[in-house]
Amino acid sequence: MKCIIADDHPLFRDALSMLVSGGDICADVSHAENVAELHDLVEKDGAPDLLLLDLHMPGASGFSALGWFVGNYPDKPVIIVSAHIQADTVRRAIDHGAAAFLSKSSGTEVMNACIQGVLAGSRGLHPGLDISESGASLKALDVADALASLTPQQFRVASMLVEGLLNKQIAYELGVKEATIKAHMTEVFRKLGVQSRTQAVLAIGNLTIAPDETTQEAV
């Protein structure tokens, strides 16, 4: 079984890797420190049998990476593992297609049981967490569907657009010509159903996650 752990905290990646590569799971684990590396791994080796995804990793805007993966690989389960565990965040992640949501402070036994449950076909798991909030809006789900239609390069362009980078800056970061970025931007606008950079940023903003002031980021 192939598993990708997408998280920018090396200590937590290593801890998760030990959990899923040993015991009863025995997965072949790959690591991604950002969304671009996740795209590269999927393009190179195909979609994993399980994705363990941190919501707050470089290159992601809220639920954008989750929406992209679920939209392209609906039969491959995603477990969100995050320190941000507001009821609204948990509920929206489930609504956007996550098979389960785990707190980074969960114990090994809880994580192991949840992962095995997902691999056995269970969905909508959120052990010990509340999902009483109303969940994802229809507009946010539409934006997630649109992002799922983007190519990996278009997704990177859209993510850098949200970060406020200009076309020439995006071209420099990606090592391509500015004309290429303009072509990608045209496709991003078309798929999002918008006509300007501002409208695109506002649309993707529907997937953002409010900061959780009560929760400290786990490592």
Side-chain angles (χ1 to χ4, degrees), residues 61-64 88 92 96 137 139-141 143-144 147 158 161-163 192 194 197-210:
S61 178
F63 298 97
S64 63
D88 172 70
R92 289 171 69 194
H96 279 291
S137 67
K139 190 171 184 178
L141 293 172
V143 172
L147 289 180
L161 169 64
V162 172
E163 293 172 4
L192 286 174
V194 301
R197 298 171 70 92
T198 299
Q199 290 176 349
V201 171
L202 290 174
I204 298 173
N206 286 283
L207 301 178
T208 58
I209 301 167

Side-chain angles (χ1 to χ4, degrees), residues 74-172:
D75 60 330
K76 303 297 185 181
V78 181
I79 298 177
I80 298 298
V81 188
S82 178
H84 297 264
I85 56 174
Q86 311 101 303
D88 172 70
T89 301
V90 178
R91 178 57 183 265
R92 289 171 69 194
I94 298 297
D95 288 350
H96 279 291
F101 196 114
L102 281 168
S103 168
K104 282 190 173 183
S105 63
S106 299
T108 301
E109 291 185 2
V110 171
M111 287 190 174
N112 186 65
C114 182
I115 292 170
Q116 293 204 48
V118 166
L119 292 175
S122 296
R123 296 293 182 267
L125 303 181
H126 44 93
L129 301 176
D130 179 24
I131 59 166
S132 60
E133 297 292 330
S134 58
S137 67
L138 291 177
K139 190 171 184 178
L141 293 172
D142 287 342
V143 172
D145 286 342
L147 289 180
S149 70
L150 300 180
T151 66
Q153 193 76 328
Q154 289 167 359
F155 187 97
R156 291 169 191 148
V157 169
S159 297
M160 292 179 179
L161 169 64
V162 172
E163 293 172 4
L165 274 66
L166 301 175
N167 285 358
K168 61 182 179 180
Q169 293 172 311
I170 298 174
Y172 176 79

Side-chain angles (χ1 to χ4, degrees), residues 17-87:
S17 183
M18 290 178 63
L19 178 64
V20 298
S21 64
D24 297 325
I25 302 174
C26 294
D28 179 12
V29 181
S30 298
H31 294 169
E33 296 185 14
N34 51 56
V35 174
E37 289 187 6
L38 174 60
H39 286 156
D40 291 341
L41 282 173
V42 172
E43 287 185 318
K44 177 184 176 183
D45 302 324
D49 301 295
L50 175 67
L51 172 61
L52 299 175
L53 176 66
D54 180 18
L55 289 175
H56 294 271
M57 62 184 303
S61 178
F63 298 97
S64 63
L66 171 63
W68 175 83
F69 187 88
V70 170
N72 282 280
Y73 310 101
D75 60 330
K76 303 297 185 181
V78 181
I79 298 177
I80 298 298
V81 188
S82 178
H84 297 264
I85 56 174
Q86 311 101 303

